[in-house]
Amino acid sequence: MFTGIVEHLGKVIDIVELDFSESGGKGFSITIGEAAEILGDCHLGDSIAVNGTCLTVTEFNASSFKIGVAPETLRKTNL
């Protein structure tokens, strides 16, 4: 369970269903925007807590970041 301090509230700006075949992973890509405040020292592979779930940054720019969410993560969290 996440017990840290909330630094910033971003906004989900895009959800893309990834390859949904059995061999494709059946996951989603989520883009969080309005996040410039926390991305100044962001790097690919960093972990950012989203709604209490630590997720890995797969892409980012000055104001948004993208994370991948696997089906198991969706089953075990409230994302």
Side-chain angles (χ1 to χ4, degrees):
M1 175 187 289
F2 177 73
T3 59
I5 297 171
V6 175
E7 283 185 51
H8 183 74
L9 294 176
K11 179 180 179 181
V12 174
I13 58 174
D14 195 25
I15 299 175
V16 176
E17 184 176 2
L18 301 176
D19 183 351
F20 220 70
S21 67
E22 191 63 36
S23 63
K26 298 182 177 182
F28 292 85
S29 173
I30 301 174
T31 303
I32 309 292
E34 300 179 13
E37 181 178 315
I38 62 163
L39 295 174
D41 62 349
C42 186
H43 299 89
L44 289 180
D46 280 359
S47 181
I48 296 181
V50 176
N51 207 32
T53 304
C54 288
L55 299 168
T56 303
V57 175
T58 58
E59 274 183 48
F60 70 97
N61 59 35
S63 63
S64 66
F65 65 95
K66 186 179 289 189
I67 45 93
V69 182
E72 185 68 7
T73 302
L74 294 174
R75 281 191 291 277
K76 301 286 184 177
T77 66
N78 62 1
L79 293 173

